Amino acid sequence: MLQEDFTVIHGYGEVEGSTKVCPGVYVGGSEELMEEVRVNRFNPKHALFIKGHSAWVPGQLSREIADGVWYIAAASSDFILRYAGAPVA
């Protein structure tokens, strides 16, 4: 699988190439995470690997939220990472 074929969501922390989504949840950084797996500091079972992605043009997501296509909801990092098997605080 090529790196571009998936997105990784994890709670490992901010690694190079990752973006903090909310406290305790990060997206990206797959190259750095692969190195952390190699040196046995990260278990890939503690991440969600998602094939594909969605993208919006500037302003599209805001319009879709206003139109009721999407809803904003609060969610904890525990809830987001529950199915990744990641340790929860």
Side-chain angles (χ1 to χ4, degrees):
M1 178 182 294
L2 297 174
Q3 179 182 349
E4 299 84 35
D5 290 344
F6 69 92
T7 298
V8 60
I9 297 176
H10 59 90
Y12 182 73
E14 215 163 325
V15 294
E16 186 176 339
S18 71
T19 301
K20 184 177 181 181
V21 176
C22 63
V25 179
Y26 302 84
V27 63
S30 57
E31 286 187 36
E32 182 68 25
L33 288 174
M34 285 189 288
E35 175 62 18
E36 296 299 309
V37 169
R38 189 185 71 70
V39 297
N40 205 29
R41 286 193 296 235
F42 179 68
N43 184 338
K45 291 181 180 178
H46 294 168
L48 293 169
F49 294 88
I50 302 160
K51 180 143 176 71
H53 71 278
S54 293
W56 291 265
V57 297
Q60 179 183 355
L61 182 57
S62 295
R63 286 189 306 275
E64 290 181 5
I65 291 169
D67 291 342
V69 176
W70 300 100
Y71 297 96
I72 297 172
S76 68
S77 60
D78 295 351
F79 178 79
I80 295 168
L81 297 171
R82 178 177 298 153
Y83 298 105
V88 292

